[in-house]
């Protein structure tokens, strides 16, 4: 219970700090914190100018840890991400120069503007938390999160993320346009100076690691695990989809549900936790059929239909 109290207290401080910069998007901020505590990676996909990069930089600034920002461009090389071995004349041997991925928080801006070769350099980093260069493996610092942004429009000169790359991201969120009141408040807070400049860290990397360990200890009953499996399995048999969720999606949905439960102050997962995070975790991993697209149904709509059909475990299961 002491660990859960730490999770709720520090997460509240993180949330308040981020909401002071990101106007009118408390749900988006909460999802970002959930992914951080669930040891996942976050894909921010929306139209230009709604604050995708600002959200990533705000989370990074709120934690006293190492942060790297990478602007993805077509000429970016894989070695710029992972690092490279350089010959040192003094010791007459090769030494490793770490790349931009060696940080606790890595902000990748416009990730779909890099070539597929450079995008693939992130696969091992995001999945295994390590980098292999010239046959030598180097571990990445903990905690470790990649927050990448991309625009769903302006596709000229871009390389859409392949399914294997999208599957590495625990969740995908869209900020959407702010409400009239939030946009008006933004003119006051961002009109002269950026509130990001005044933002002070509210926690550090060690505290986040302690919170992550507390989230891992959140109890998940066999009935909840079966519910998670049933939900992801339903995407593989749905006639509205031509590609369902992977087993990796099942595992990450469970991890995200644990983090959501911990943020609620509970030491056990409920079906509500799974449902609250399911769309963010699963929607970007599934592909609708042509008929579904013609019917103007999004993957989120399909998931909501499936959640209504999959039986929810009762209290006595």
């Amino acid at each position: 219970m002491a660990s859960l109290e730490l999770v709720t207290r520090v997460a509240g401080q993180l949330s308040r700090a981020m909401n002071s910069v990101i106007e009118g998007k408390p749900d988006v901020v909460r999802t970002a914190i959930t992914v951080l505590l669930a040891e996942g990676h976050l894909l921010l996909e929306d139209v230009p100018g709604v604050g995708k990069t600002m959200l990533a930089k705000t989370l990074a600034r709120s934690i006293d840890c190492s942060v790297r920002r990478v602007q993805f461009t077509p000429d970016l090389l894989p070695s710029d991400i992972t690092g490279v071995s350089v010959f040192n004349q003094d010791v007459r041997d090769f030494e490793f120069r770490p790349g931009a991925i060696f940080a606790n928080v890595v902000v990748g801006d416009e990730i779909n503007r890099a070539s597929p070769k450079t995008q693939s350099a992130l696969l091992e980093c995001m999945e295994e938390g390590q980098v292999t260069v010239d046959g030598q493996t180097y571990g990445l610092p903990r905690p470790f999160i990649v927050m990448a942004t991309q625009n769903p429009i302006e596709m000229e000169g871009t390389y859409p993320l392949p399914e294997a790359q999208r599957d590495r991201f625990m969740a995908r969120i869209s900020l959407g346009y702010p409400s009239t009141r939030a946009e008006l408040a933004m003119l006051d807070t961002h009109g002269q100076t950026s509130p990001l400049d005044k933002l002070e860290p509210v926690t550090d990397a060690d505290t986040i690691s302690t919170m992550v360990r507390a989230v891992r200890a959140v109890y998940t009953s066999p009935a909840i695990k079966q519910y998670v499996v049933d939900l992801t399995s339903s995407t593989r048999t749905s006639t509205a989809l031509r590609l369902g969720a992977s087993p990796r999606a099942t595992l990450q949905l469970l991890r995200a549900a644990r983090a959501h439960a911990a943020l609620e102050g509970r030491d056990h997962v409920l079906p509500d936790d799974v449902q609250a995070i399911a769309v963010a975790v699963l929607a970007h991993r599934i592909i609708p059929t042509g008929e579904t697209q013609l019917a103007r149904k999004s993957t989120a709509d399909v998931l909501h239909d499936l959640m209504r059909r999959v039986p929810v475990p009762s209290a006595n299961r």
Side-chain angles (χ1 to χ4, degrees):
M1 293 302 296
S3 298
L4 282 179
E5 184 181 350
L6 174 69
V7 171
T8 54
R9 176 171 57 82
V10 176
Q13 295 171 351
L14 262 177
S15 181
R16 286 190 292 274
M18 294 178 67
N19 282 317
S20 68
V21 178
I22 307 298
E23 298 285 348
K25 298 294 179 181
D27 294 338
V28 171
V29 168
R30 187 179 181 85
T31 302
I33 296 174
T34 301
V35 172
L36 172 66
L37 298 183
E39 302 176 89
H41 306 286
L42 187 63
L43 179 62
L44 305 168
E45 185 177 279
D46 213 326
V47 296
V50 295
K52 301 185 298 297
T53 306
M54 180 66 75
L55 174 64
K57 290 167 67 176
T58 301
L59 178 61
R61 188 72 65 87
S62 301
I63 305 170
D64 186 13
C65 63
S66 57
V67 179
R68 295 282 183 89
R69 184 178 183 274
V70 184
Q71 182 67 50
F72 282 80
T73 54
D75 59 348
L76 191 71
L77 299 175
S79 58
D80 297 328
I81 302 293
T82 60
V84 64
S85 295
V86 179
F87 188 75
N88 189 329
Q89 291 282 2
D90 295 333
V91 298
R92 303 190 65 81
D93 197 3
F94 286 92
E95 64 178 21
F96 180 66
R97 300 284 178 85
I101 201 68
F102 283 83
N104 295 112
V105 180
V106 179
V107 180
D109 206 10
E110 300 277 3
I111 187 174
N112 57 335
R113 294 202 178 276
S115 66
K117 185 177 182 179
T118 302
Q119 289 179 13
S120 64
L122 290 170
L123 294 178
E124 181 186 12
C125 309
M126 296 172 66
E127 181 67 18
E128 303 174 35
Q130 65 183 30
V131 170
T132 302
V133 177
D134 294 335
Q136 193 78 8
T137 299
Y138 305 90
L140 296 175
R142 295 291 182 177
F144 173 65
I145 181 173
V146 174
M147 301 182 68
T149 71
Q150 70 170 1
N151 298 326
I153 59 175
E154 297 181 343
M155 301 308 268
E156 297 84 358
T158 63
Y159 305 87
L161 294 181
E163 295 307 317
Q165 182 78 32
R166 295 170 71 89
D167 203 41
R168 295 307 201 275
F169 288 98
M170 175 174 281
R172 180 195 65 181
I173 56 177
S174 299
L175 278 76
Y177 292 112
S179 64
T180 303
R181 179 178 298 180
E183 196 163 8
L184 191 60
M186 182 187 69
L187 297 181
D188 294 330
T189 56
H190 295 255
Q192 296 178 343
T193 59
S194 172
L196 190 63
D197 298 334
K198 302 177 182 178
L199 189 63
E200 296 291 334
V202 297
T203 186
D204 55 25
D206 291 338
T207 304
I208 294 296
S209 296
T210 303
M211 296 166 68
V212 166
R213 289 193 293 271
V215 167
R216 289 178 189 164
V218 172
Y219 174 71
T220 309
S221 68
I224 293 295
K225 293 178 181 177
Q226 185 64 54
Y227 178 58
V228 171
V229 171
D230 290 344
L231 194 56
T232 53
S233 296
S234 68
T235 65
R236 302 165 194 164
T237 58
S238 173
T239 57
L241 302 172
R242 62 184 178 91
L243 178 67
S246 66
R248 181 189 288 117
T250 307
L251 179 60
Q252 296 197 346
L253 179 57
L254 180 62
R255 290 176 177 171
R258 283 176 178 159
H260 189 274
L263 290 175
E264 294 289 334
R266 280 184 275 101
D267 61 354
H268 59 282
V269 179
L270 296 177
D272 293 345
D273 298 314
V274 179
Q275 294 174 353
I277 203 71
V279 173
V281 174
L282 299 179
H284 64 292
R285 306 170 188 269
I286 57 180
I287 300 178
T289 62
E291 292 79 4
T292 303
Q293 291 176 317
L294 288 174
R296 297 184 180 277
K297 291 183 66 177
S298 65
T299 53
D301 295 331
V302 175
L303 287 172
H304 284 302
D305 290 341
L306 293 176
M307 281 190 283
R308 284 192 289 268
R309 297 176 190 171
V310 175
V312 177
S314 58
N316 58 1
R317 283 179 59 185

